[in-house]
Amino acid sequence: MTTLPELETVAGATVHGGPQLPRLPGFMESDFAPLVYAAVRACVGEARSEHLLTDAGDRCAIVLGSRYFDTVTLELSVEHVNRKRVNPIFFYQAVPTAVLGQIARDYRLTGPVSCVAALDDVRAEVHELARVILADGGADQVLGLVVEMRPDPALGFARADLMRAVPGPAGRKGTP
């Protein structure tokens, strides 16, 4: 049985929605993707300059969690289907995976990627999955993302935490 490691937060940031939120090219209607991307940028730095994920490559996983994910795109998708106009851009599950793809591309991350929905404490679920990934050896770091949309966009937020395992007795040098 593998023991799950304790987590150490290397960096963290929370970004709130609203009119000040920078737009993200390629994402049209919802604040979901811009919130996630802005939280990552605030947490680890700008992708086009030196940042905390430089050279992380396949040793950094990404875990995205939410209760409802992209409700704005979901509502638009339903509206379009009801009008018999199916538009794959408004497939609500495409937005979370697309923004994770953009983050992975821009920050040159090729490690594991997961999305998790939770009913209660989304951040705790994201951290638990990060612990599993780290215990499995699939990554050395996990970029944990939590995003929650609200009917009032200014109340929506995204949280990014860059985490790694705290070395335990078995992980310390010189310990049998």
Side-chain angles (χ1 to χ4, degrees):
M1 182 170 142
T2 303
T3 303
L4 297 181
E6 294 298 316
L7 294 178
E8 176 182 25
T9 301
V10 176
T14 300
V15 174
H16 293 276
Q20 80 289 352
L21 185 66
R23 302 310 317 154
L24 186 59
F27 296 92
M28 309 180 321
E29 300 289 338
S30 170
D31 280 350
F32 187 93
L35 271 171
V36 172
Y37 200 92
V40 170
R41 186 182 306 124
C43 179
V44 301
E46 185 66 45
R48 292 186 176 98
S49 60
E50 192 72 21
H51 53 78
L52 294 177
L53 297 174
T54 300
D55 299 323
D58 67 347
R59 301 307 305 158
C60 184
I62 305 173
V63 177
L64 172 66
S66 182
R67 284 185 202 180
Y68 307 110
F69 283 91
D70 186 2
T71 55
V72 172
T73 301
L74 174 60
E75 290 171 9
L76 285 170
S77 175
V78 169
E79 182 181 313
H80 278 235
V81 168
N82 287 341
R83 292 183 187 172
K84 305 217 185 308
R85 295 183 346 210
V86 178
N87 184 339
I89 290 178
F90 290 134
F91 180 57
Y92 82 100
Q93 291 174 328
V95 174
T97 55
V99 73
L100 292 180
Q102 185 160 345
I103 291 165
R105 182 199 67 203
D106 291 355
Y107 287 90
R108 295 188 169 114
L109 303 176
T110 58
V113 176
S114 300
C115 291
V116 61
L119 297 175
D120 294 317
D121 188 344
V122 177
R123 190 169 181 216
E125 291 292 328
V126 167
H127 284 219
E128 185 69 11
L129 186 50
R131 293 174 69 214
V132 169
I133 291 168
L134 292 167
D136 184 46
D140 297 329
Q141 299 178 94
V142 176
L143 182 58
L145 308 168
V146 174
V147 61
E148 294 302 343
M149 304 295 291
R150 302 283 193 254
D152 177 353
L155 299 177
F157 72 92
R159 171 80 191 174
D161 291 306
L162 181 59
M163 301 168 281
R164 65 182 173 207
V166 173
R172 292 191 186 124
K173 291 186 185 218
T175 303

